[in-house]
Amino acid sequence: MAARSFLYGGGDGSVFLTNKRVHGDSFFAPRSSSFQGTRSMVSFEDRGNGSGGQFFQSFDHEDNGDDEYDDYLQQPEKKRRLTVDQVRFLEKSFELDNKLEPDRKIQLAKEIGLQPRQVAIWFQNRRARWKTKQLEKDYDDLQESYNKLKANYENLVKEKEKLKSEVDELSDKLLLQEKGTSDSSSTKSPFESLLHEQILDHAREEHVSKKMKMGDGKEGNFTAKELGDSSYVFEQEQSEGSLDEENNFSKMFLPSVDGYTSPKIENNEYRDPHSVNSYYLGLPGDDQAFGFWSY
DNA sequence: TTGTGTTTTATTGCCTCC
DNA sequence: GGAGGCAATAAAACACAA
């Protein structure tokens, strides 16, 4: 890249050439790449002619104001820190607006006795510090919501295990009951057999209905919505899973439109606990819904 | 006192906007 | 093309433990 040169007027009326840019604050720009002292940067002469009014008025009210200012003046010509009051003034100004229009920059510089360039630099650095803090805060916030989400997920896993064992238990009970019924069916009257079949049908419907409720993500103890701000992924995954789940479910179990009960139920295929479990655990929206989180 | 880490002030180079 | 913003960096000032 070609080197650029900048022509500036020095505070003593001299003109100098530098390869450094001085953003719009030409007149009291530094004269070389090594810092030559703040006399070239700070026009303390302004204090005498009153242009540094507001800052120095408030500054003079401080108990140690004059001492601090004298110390500031007496420092050797090298990089110096701004005084406490200058920084305080700049901080207040930054709180009002962290951007600096040219007019405001000049006004601020006059009020605290600094070069406009120094004010601009201070705002630049202050914005950088603010951004860093903001990033740290954002990180903390994300960490917090992640922890909450993780806790929710762990609760869901526990709830799922609980419900699963409940379903297994009920399935086993139903199977046992049905087995016992078929063994003794020969001794029943036709009326008793019919009644028993009706009761079993009802139990099957209840069983299937319960599974549907657990699987569709809408009527369980937790819904995707309850997961909070970061539930987007869950919601998406779950809705996709729920769709597939419902489709699979319809194919496997649901009665057809005319009320005809699925052949699989008629064939007692659902009675096989392994079959039930494989259906339940094989849902696209089951564990896969949480596959996004890798622990 | 001195070595070391952190903060502050300032510079440089690049980019965008007008 | 000039002005101004930002990221990266230098260097002085400062804090602090050993």
Side-chain angles (χ1 to χ4, degrees):
Chain A
M1 178 186 167
R4 286 182 293 176
S5 295
F6 302 91
L7 184 67
Y8 295 114
D12 56 359
S14 64
V15 176
F16 59 94
L17 190 67
T18 175
N19 63 345
K20 288 198 244 173
R21 178 189 49 173
V22 179
H23 291 280
D25 310 313
S26 61
F27 210 74
F28 297 102
R31 299 166 205 208
S32 71
S33 60
S34 61
F35 192 80
Q36 295 298 314
T38 44
R39 185 136 318 162
S40 62
M41 305 287 289
V42 183
S43 64
F44 291 108
E45 292 77 14
D46 286 347
R47 189 194 185 197
N49 63 23
S51 62
Q54 192 174 327
F55 166 70
F56 291 108
Q57 279 165 22
S58 62
F59 192 89
D60 288 339
H61 289 161
E62 300 284 337
D63 291 341
N64 61 345
D66 286 333
D67 289 344
E68 191 180 357
Y69 182 71
D70 288 341
D71 288 347
Y72 191 84
L73 272 179
Q74 284 161 13
Q75 284 180 47
E77 301 224 349
K78 54 186 176 181
K79 187 192 273 190
R80 320 180 248 217
R81 295 205 165 185
L82 306 183
T83 67
V84 172
D85 290 284
Q86 283 170 324
V87 171
R88 198 178 298 154
F89 192 89
L90 288 166
E91 284 287 353
K92 279 187 179 176
S93 184
F94 185 84
E95 278 173 28
L96 293 174
D97 188 0
N98 70 351
K99 293 280 179 177
L100 200 57
E101 282 71 41
D103 289 348
R104 184 161 160 252
K105 176 172 65 182
I106 290 165
Q107 179 66 24
L108 277 175
K110 277 183 179 175
E111 289 184 4
I112 59 176
L114 291 176
Q115 284 304 305
R117 175 169 167 73
Q118 285 180 290
V119 175
I121 288 166
W122 189 90
F123 267 72
Q124 192 109 308
N125 289 322
R126 186 65 183 78
R127 279 195 294 272
R129 287 198 293 272
W130 179 84
K131 193 177 176 183
T132 304
K133 291 274 180 209
Q134 196 60 34
L135 277 172
E136 286 172 2
K137 186 180 171 297
D138 288 349
Y139 176 82
D140 288 344
D141 290 348
L142 274 174
Q143 183 80 39
E144 194 184 332
S145 60
Y146 166 78
N147 288 337
K148 279 182 184 170
L149 205 54
K150 190 180 171 190
N152 265 337
Y153 165 71
E154 283 163 356
N155 283 337
L156 279 169
V157 169
K158 280 180 194 164
E159 183 70 14
K160 190 195 84 172
E161 289 303 319
K162 192 180 149 199
L163 289 170
K164 182 172 166 278
S165 61
E166 211 173 299
V167 166
D168 286 347
E169 196 180 322
L170 286 170
S171 298
D172 288 346
K173 272 186 187 173
L174 193 64
L175 276 171
L176 279 174
Q177 192 179 358
E178 217 170 328
K179 203 167 186 177
T181 303
S182 61
D183 287 349
S184 60
S185 61
S186 56
T187 61
K188 283 179 184 162
S189 69
F191 175 76
E192 281 174 328
S193 294
L194 184 63
L195 187 63
H196 190 78
E197 271 306 310
Q198 283 180 348
I199 291 169
L200 268 179
D201 283 346
H202 180 72
R204 286 171 195 145
E205 281 169 17
E206 285 290 304
H207 193 98
V208 169
S209 166
K210 187 172 180 179
K211 282 180 181 297
M212 286 176 70
K213 284 180 179 180
M214 284 190 300
D216 65 9
K218 290 170 188 165
E219 297 185 42
N221 286 346
F222 295 93
T223 68
K225 295 275 183 201
E226 288 171 339
L227 291 175
D229 292 338
S230 308
S231 64
Y232 170 73
V233 174
F234 277 86
E235 213 165 355
Q236 257 201 340
E237 294 274 349
Q238 183 139 12
S239 62
E240 286 170 7
S242 298
L243 264 181
D244 289 343
E245 182 186 334
E246 280 182 14
N247 289 340
N248 290 342
F249 200 90
S250 302
K251 284 177 192 163
M252 291 175 73
F253 295 115
L254 284 183
S256 59
V257 185
D258 61 1
Y260 172 73
T261 306
S262 162
K264 296 212 173 197
I265 292 178
E266 288 292 291
N267 294 337
N268 287 343
E269 281 189 33
Y270 89 101
R271 292 172 191 166
D272 179 359
H274 298 295
S275 172
V276 169
N277 286 344
S278 65
Y279 154 72
Y280 182 67
L281 294 174
L283 288 179
D286 195 7
D287 283 344
Q288 291 92 326
F290 305 103
F292 168 75
W293 301 99
S294 54
Y295 294 108

